[in-house]
Amino acid sequence: MSGMIEFDAAAAKAVEAMYLTPDVVGQRTHVMAAMGLRPGMAALDIGVGPGLLAHDMGKAVTAAGSVTGVDMSRAMVAMAAERCADMDWVTIEHGEAEQLPVASGSMDVVVSTQVYEYVTDMGAALHEAKRVLKPGGRLVVLDTDWDSIVWHSSNRDRMERVLKVWDQHLADPHLPRKLPALLHDAGLVVTRRELIPLFNPDWNPHSYSAGIMMGILNFVSGRDGISEDEARAWADDLQALGREGHYFFSLNRYLFVAVKG
């Protein structure tokens, strides 16, 4: 993951704050509906992050079922384990998407939200997801195509340069357009595709775009010709547009459900 974000304790807290915004809370509702969890099911969350989704999954499967959360960030593992400590049927483990610490054919549902875009070997990751699924089990994937971003700025050239450098924090910033073919090649049958927009037409400090703005600022500062001063000027401009009533942000996420035959 050279050049990508390192999810240490500080980054984990920043992600948690974004995941608690109304934008991402609504997204999580869509993901939960797509999983269709019921009491007694076994489910796996790949890239468990701060554990918000895993906690909801635990409530859905109840003590009659089980949830396993896996993350390669030990800071995320610690945060998710603390959040889910009230449910002993939810287990959080350190691991990677390409080598899941889960038995073959043991899961009714596998979910991965905003994780596969960080994975270099998607073929291996999807074959692992298929391996751990029971026959007829579902894989639910949510990822972003960063070409879909529309973000009003008074300096379009600077915005384009900042976002181009931001793309470097991912293995594939345009993964969703490739997912149908990748899922097919892994032997999974796509049964559902859905667009989930994140739309902030007004400035709100408790929004996804406000949170990701700070993440972008920290990542691009001093990288590939973008100085810290220029990165700060980029963020200041967006916030000024917000105060003037001229803020606009939109980003598309794409949800896929695929079934193991």
Side-chain angles (χ1 to χ4, degrees):
M1 293 181 63
S2 177
M4 299 184 200
I5 294 173
E6 295 297 328
F7 287 98
D8 56 13
K13 290 298 292 183
V15 169
E16 180 185 44
M18 274 192 292
Y19 283 16
L20 289 169
T21 62
D23 309 289
V24 185
V25 170
Q27 170 190 287
R28 204 154 47 247
T29 300
H30 281 278
V31 173
M32 285 294 296
M35 283 191 282
L37 296 174
R38 300 186 305 275
M41 281 186 165
L44 170 67
D45 185 1
I46 300 174
V48 69
L52 291 157
L53 180 61
H55 195 270
D56 288 348
M57 292 165 67
K59 289 190 290 185
V61 303
T62 75
S66 67
V67 172
T68 303
V70 174
D71 207 293
M72 66 180 298
S73 162
R74 295 193 183 277
M76 291 293 197
V77 168
M79 182 179 289
E82 182 178 357
R83 172 161 278 114
C84 299
D86 60 332
M87 293 181 285
D88 59 12
W89 59 95
V90 178
T91 303
I92 310 298
E93 300 185 25
H94 181 258
E96 300 187 7
E98 302 96 318
Q99 193 170 1
L100 296 169
V102 178
S104 298
S106 61
M107 295 292 160
D108 295 293
V109 176
V110 173
V111 64
S112 173
T113 62
Q114 294 302 116
V115 172
Y116 280 153
E117 58 196 42
Y118 291 93
V119 173
T120 303
D121 191 345
M122 273 299 297
L126 291 178
H127 276 94
E128 270 292 272
K130 180 185 177 185
R131 176 186 67 79
V132 305
L133 280 170
K134 299 175 182 178
R138 292 189 299 282
L139 171 64
V140 179
V141 181
L142 181 84
D143 270 295
T144 301
D145 189 321
W146 284 90
D147 271 353
S148 70
I149 193 167
V150 179
W151 209 344
H152 179 48
S153 168
S154 64
N155 187 327
R156 184 168 182 173
D157 174 70
R158 182 174 62 200
M159 173 65 80
E160 289 177 352
R161 288 188 293 108
V162 165
L163 293 178
K164 184 176 181 180
V165 175
W166 173 241
D167 279 350
Q168 297 175 19
H169 88 288
L170 298 167
D172 190 344
H174 315 299
L175 177 62
R177 66 187 72 176
K178 305 169 189 175
L179 267 174
L182 288 167
L183 290 163
H184 177 271
D185 291 347
L188 295 160
V189 179
V190 176
T191 59
R192 178 175 173 181
R193 310 174 196 192
E194 183 178 342
L195 171 66
I196 302 176
L198 296 177
F199 184 37
N200 299 151
D202 301 294
W203 169 251
N204 183 340
H206 186 54
S207 65
Y208 173 80
S209 62
I212 202 66
M213 184 190 302
M214 292 301 100
I216 293 172
L217 170 63
N218 292 332
F219 182 83
V220 305
S221 293
R223 194 183 294 261
D224 278 10
I226 297 179
S227 67
E228 184 176 346
D229 286 345
E230 185 175 24
R232 173 54 64 182
W234 167 80
D236 288 347
D237 172 59
L238 295 177
Q239 294 181 39
L241 288 170
R243 291 191 295 271
E244 296 162 4
H246 298 149
Y247 192 78
F248 188 96
F249 172 92
S250 177
L251 180 68
N252 289 339
R253 287 183 168 164
Y254 301 85
L255 183 146
F256 296 82
V257 179
V259 174
K260 176 178 177 178

